[in-house]
Amino acid sequence: MTTSIEQLNIPNLHLTEPPSPTITFEPFTLPPTNQRILGPPHPSNTVIPLALRPTEDSKKSLTLDSIISTIKTLQSRDETFTKYLARHGTLLFRDLPIHNAEDFSKFAHAFGYQPHEIIGIVVDRPLLAPNVAPANEAPKEVQIYNHNESPQVPHAPEYIFFYNQRAPAKGGETPISSSLELFRRAQVEIPEFIDELAEKGILSRVAYDIEKQYEGGSTLRQAFGKEIQDGDSEETKRRKIEAQIARYGRGKHTTWEWTETGIVLTHRLPVIRTQPGTNLPTLFTGLASYYKRLQANDERKNVTHQLYGDGTPIPEKYLAHLAKITDEIRVLHRWQEGDVLVFDNIIAQHGREPWEGEQTDRVVLASLFDGPFVPGAYGFGDWAQVAQALDG
């Protein structure tokens, strides 16, 4: 489905009062493979992603400092970009003077969100700049199907920034889809599955081994061992790891078992959550991604297992149906070097397509942030409400 600026009726975003630098962002259209009009419950003529770039006049005085000043002012005035994210789920920024990890870090921090600390990280993300790390280091042949970030643990970011430093000649797209639309479609097409999720939630079992389990994966120490010192006894290491797990603040809804190779955590979590401000239900999940992983015999399949909250298996037909809906509602963002995608992680899903060429032909960096509000509860159990992790 094609779109047009007239259809969208999106005003240019700019500052008017001096002496602030004036950078005007204008919306623009992408090919229909990269952008689509969202279905219910989104307002009519809402596209994903909303694509923004500086106007030609703005390019005459375009600097990273002027971009950052504009974003900070618009955000402090009325949370302009936060509101657009809440409506569209994903924003694309193109033609900005961002050239490296440091530039990207400054741009992402300009939005005013709180940097997110990943507790229980399952992938290796070495720090490249303040709150900036590689998006995912899995081999280029591996498909990472649509998911919300960190659906397997209780503490997830609200906002995700991706910056493309290098784009492959073929493949490597980032899929984009709406979790709100996914819920609405699933509620109509497989209502009994939605009822089960609302009543039971899920049990998410995540294994952390002392050694990394797959290429690009994390170790137990990377996941929970930030307080561990060389020379600590095994008893001290375990105590420090368990203290980090306790920061989830989930009480009886997060349990763990030590194994010969590491530790296995079990979380009871809500898949259905609600968007702050609208209370619209959203499917915050990686269930379709886990299903695709099993179908492909992916080496990561043994890391995370998810069951209904009562411990019973989730029928494969429901997972396959979620993947079918996702295929129908997602677009594949074709990267241009310098692009930045920003996701409202509560209502939008992302992924990664395989690419041809060398592993180093695609370089995407990520920056994760917490928002002022976590998603609300949809069910009635105390397990249905997530919260920010405790400081530590």
Side-chain angles (χ1 to χ4, degrees):
M1 182 180 295
T2 59
T3 58
S4 70
I5 302 304
E6 289 73 24
Q7 280 181 305
L8 303 179
N9 193 30
I10 297 167
N12 287 355
L13 307 177
H14 64 279
L15 302 180
T16 55
E17 66 272 6
S20 298
T22 302
I23 301 298
T24 302
F25 291 97
E26 63 178 0
F28 65 100
T29 57
L30 298 168
T33 53
N34 295 32
Q35 185 183 54
R36 63 181 287 266
I37 294 179
L38 290 160
H42 292 272
S44 60
N45 291 328
T46 300
V47 293
I48 193 169
L50 172 61
L52 300 169
R53 64 187 175 193
T55 61
E56 287 300 318
D57 286 343
S58 292
K59 290 179 181 179
K60 299 173 184 176
S61 58
L62 190 65
T63 65
L64 183 59
D65 286 343
S66 64
I67 289 288
I68 289 172
S69 178
T70 299
I71 289 172
K72 284 183 175 179
T73 303
L74 289 170
Q75 281 289 85
S76 63
R77 178 186 295 167
D78 66 353
E79 299 183 318
T80 299
F81 295 105
T82 300
K83 290 177 180 177
Y84 275 107
L85 279 166
R87 176 178 174 129
H88 297 268
T90 310
L91 306 180
L92 165 66
F93 291 90
R94 180 166 286 173
D95 299 337
L96 302 186
I98 298 175
H99 305 293
N100 52 49
E102 289 287 344
D103 290 347
F104 173 51
S105 176
K106 293 174 183 176
F107 174 81
H109 282 82
F111 288 72
Y113 306 131
Q114 180 69 28
H116 175 77
E117 179 190 358
I118 305 176
I119 304 172
I121 190 170
V122 295
V123 296
D124 183 15
R125 284 180 169 161
L127 197 65
L128 304 176
N131 202 37
V132 171
N136 195 296
E137 297 291 86
K140 62 185 178 65
E141 298 82 9
V142 173
Q143 181 196 43
I144 301 172
Y145 197 68
N146 289 50
H147 62 283
N148 303 90
E149 184 64 29
S150 302
Q152 77 279 16
V153 295
H155 178 54
E158 274 75 60
Y159 299 103
I160 311 170
F161 291 70
F162 291 120
Y163 160 63
N164 183 265
Q165 202 167 35
R166 188 175 303 131
K170 187 172 183 179
E173 299 90 351
T174 289
I176 305 170
S177 57
S178 165
S179 302
L180 295 173
E181 190 174 7
L182 179 62
F183 175 87
R184 179 65 66 89
R185 285 279 303 270
Q187 188 179 44
V188 171
E189 297 172 25
I190 42 175
E192 68 280 11
F193 180 49
I194 294 298
D195 289 344
E196 290 285 291
L197 291 176
E199 179 183 349
K200 301 175 180 178
I202 60 167
L203 290 183
S204 176
R205 291 177 179 162
V206 190
Y208 300 91
D209 286 359
I210 296 171
E211 304 295 333
K212 67 179 182 180
Q213 300 176 68
Y214 59 91
E215 190 61 34
S218 67
T219 65
L220 174 58
R221 185 165 178 173
Q222 288 171 319
F224 296 110
K226 74 172 189 174
E227 300 295 338
I228 291 177
Q229 302 292 323
D230 292 339
D232 281 349
S233 67
E234 287 303 311
E235 181 182 356
T236 299
K237 289 178 182 178
R238 288 196 175 196
R239 177 174 52 79
K240 289 183 175 180
I241 287 170
E242 291 176 358
Q244 289 299 309
I245 295 171
R247 292 179 59 203
Y248 283 135
R250 296 287 289 172
K252 65 182 180 181
H253 301 306
T254 289
T255 58
W256 60 89
E257 178 184 1
W258 288 97
T259 67
E260 291 183 359
T261 58
I263 194 171
V264 176
L265 270 66
T266 301
H267 309 281
R268 189 175 184 186
L269 297 171
V271 170
I272 308 172
R273 308 179 188 187
T274 60
Q275 181 187 27
T278 68
N279 289 324
L280 289 169
T282 176
L283 273 183
F284 190 95
T285 183
L287 286 173
S289 181
Y290 301 140
Y291 168 75
K292 289 282 190 177
R293 189 179 302 171
L294 291 171
Q295 296 298 303
N297 199 27
D298 192 319
E299 63 180 347
R300 299 169 297 155
K301 67 181 180 180
N302 294 322
V303 176
T304 300
H305 298 276
Q306 295 198 338
L307 308 166
Y308 281 132
D310 61 3
T312 57
I314 299 174
E316 186 174 303
K317 65 179 181 179
Y318 294 136
L319 305 181
H321 201 105
L322 284 183
K324 172 182 177 293
I325 296 172
T326 303
D327 284 339
E328 293 172 359
I329 66 174
R330 73 179 191 158
V331 293
L332 299 179
H333 177 69
R334 179 69 181 160
W335 287 103
Q336 290 187 18
E337 290 186 7
D339 280 357
V340 175
L341 282 177
V342 188
F343 287 78
D344 183 328
N345 188 46
I346 296 173
I347 64 167
Q349 296 190 335
H350 66 279
R352 193 197 73 174
E353 292 293 289
W355 68 93
E356 296 181 4
E358 302 299 322
Q359 182 76 19
T360 55
D361 287 344
R362 183 189 191 271
V363 178
V364 175
L365 308 183
S367 191
L368 312 181
F369 292 87
D370 294 330
F373 307 104
V374 297
Y378 185 79
F380 294 103
D382 55 355
W383 54 266
Q385 178 61 64
V386 294
Q388 298 285 14
L390 304 173
D391 291 336

